[in-house]
Amino acid sequence: MSSLDKMLKVLDLFGEDRMSIQLDDVQAAGASRATAYRYIQSLCDSGLLAPTTGGSYVLGPRIIELDRLVRRADPLLTRAGGPMRDVSARLGINVMLCSYYGDKVMCADIVWPERSVPEYYERGRPMPMFRGAMAKTILAHLTPYQLRNIMLWHGELVREAGLGENWEQFRSNMSRLRRDGYCITRGEVIPDLVGIGAPVFDAERRVLGSVVFALPEARFQSAGKEELVAEIKTLAARITSAIAGEAGVRPAQRAARPRKIRSPVPEDASSVE
């Protein structure tokens, strides 16, 4: 691992349970005191970190600037927003756009008109990798190489999620979801909430993320599975088509490969879908 990689790993120290860090935290991650200070100083100079009281450091203003650019330039966000809001307004249904990188699945955008369901989700919050329609939809469309690595690295989590006791079962379950073209989960992350997801691809048919309906069980029963599945698949296809149409202007972005989980998803994230 290069010194640049090690410096960027400082950003991995932040999470739901740690909003600020200190020099000692960077040292505890394996850097000498002089090196830890140099990393922090460089990250502060770039605006990725900012000093605060008591010798602590928080995420810096450069991240706000980068987030604005992501919202304006990321094909997944720019091409999905309009179709999501159209469908949400027409059906009066909650819609989420989900993305992933490394070992994290997260909500990238959200439209939440059905206020009877608490808004558990927010942009950027990491979610379980093996539970819920948002994650399983993405997982099913990774390459066999990626899936095999996931089974090697996270076999226990795969088994706990009921996705297979071994590689053959895991591969078979993922193949079935991929053939179906959608995923339905019930209460896997939030009790009594149904998730209906479909995959979103880039111009080269690599999975970029998923689009998901989130609705109460009673609404799911009254609306009907077939109608909702048709709607989510049409929405996903519409977003994928828009992204593919943009590929002639900008190169399609390659989805990040999964990596070994180095720190588990915070416990409070396991209580929300």
Side-chain angles (χ1 to χ4, degrees):
M1 184 182 294
S2 70
S3 59
L4 177 58
D5 291 331
K6 293 177 182 178
M7 182 180 71
L8 291 176
K9 291 293 290 181
V10 172
L11 299 177
D12 287 345
L13 296 174
F14 291 92
E16 294 286 331
D17 58 346
R18 182 186 284 175
M19 299 296 182
S20 65
I21 63 171
Q22 295 190 329
L23 186 65
D24 290 347
D25 296 318
V26 183
Q27 284 186 261
S32 68
R33 189 168 186 83
T35 299
Y37 179 80
R38 187 169 67 252
Y39 288 168
I40 287 176
Q41 188 60 51
S42 294
L43 291 169
C44 285
D45 290 344
S46 69
L48 295 174
L49 292 185
T52 185
T53 58
S56 296
Y57 298 85
V58 296
L59 294 173
R62 175 65 173 161
I63 291 176
I64 302 173
E65 181 181 7
L66 293 174
D67 182 64
R68 173 179 173 270
L69 295 177
V70 168
R71 291 172 185 265
R72 297 185 64 182
D74 181 5
L76 185 62
L77 284 172
T78 58
R79 295 302 181 180
M84 283 174 59
R85 282 154 181 79
D86 289 347
V87 171
S88 177
R90 177 167 54 82
L91 300 179
I93 198 168
N94 301 326
V95 186
M96 297 181 296
L97 179 69
C98 308
S99 184
Y100 81 102
Y101 78 97
D103 57 26
K104 295 182 180 180
V105 174
M106 64 186 61
C107 186
D109 196 6
I110 187 169
V111 188
W112 205 265
E114 191 174 355
R115 307 310 298 180
S116 65
V117 180
E119 190 172 333
Y120 292 102
Y121 302 95
E122 59 183 306
R123 172 177 160 80
R125 184 172 188 174
M127 306 304 295
M129 182 75 177
F130 303 102
R131 295 195 303 276
M134 64 168 68
K136 288 183 176 180
T137 299
I138 294 171
L139 199 62
H141 289 84
L142 297 179
T143 66
Y145 171 80
Q146 291 171 314
L147 289 174
R148 180 171 282 279
N149 282 338
I150 284 172
M151 189 68 196
L152 289 173
W153 294 335
H154 313 306
E156 184 176 348
L157 293 175
V158 169
R159 287 186 285 272
E160 287 176 358
L163 296 176
E165 291 297 316
N166 51 50
W167 163 242
E168 291 301 326
Q169 291 181 11
F170 179 49
R171 181 176 63 177
S172 176
N173 286 330
M174 293 301 98
S175 294
R176 176 181 54 79
L177 286 177
R178 191 162 57 249
R179 287 193 303 270
D180 290 345
Y182 68 92
C183 176
I184 297 178
T185 59
R186 287 180 164 90
E188 290 195 4
V189 186
I190 301 176
D192 301 319
L193 195 68
V194 177
I196 310 171
V200 175
F201 301 97
D202 67 15
E204 298 180 31
R205 299 298 295 178
R206 295 176 299 218
V207 66
L208 289 178
S210 59
V211 62
V212 179
F213 291 157
L215 64 160
E217 179 71 39
R219 171 79 187 277
F220 175 74
Q221 294 295 339
S222 63
K225 171 185 171 181
E226 290 75 15
E227 178 183 345
L228 292 170
V229 167
E231 289 280 3
I232 197 68
K233 291 175 74 172
T234 298
L235 174 58
R238 183 179 169 189
I239 296 170
T240 294
S241 178
I243 292 171
E246 191 180 55
V249 179
R250 270 199 296 258
Q253 297 190 0
R254 183 177 297 275
R257 292 185 176 182
R259 58 184 170 86
K260 187 173 183 178
I261 294 176
R262 300 189 181 277
S263 58
V265 173
E267 287 297 323
D268 63 337
S270 66
S271 63
V272 293
E273 174 126 21

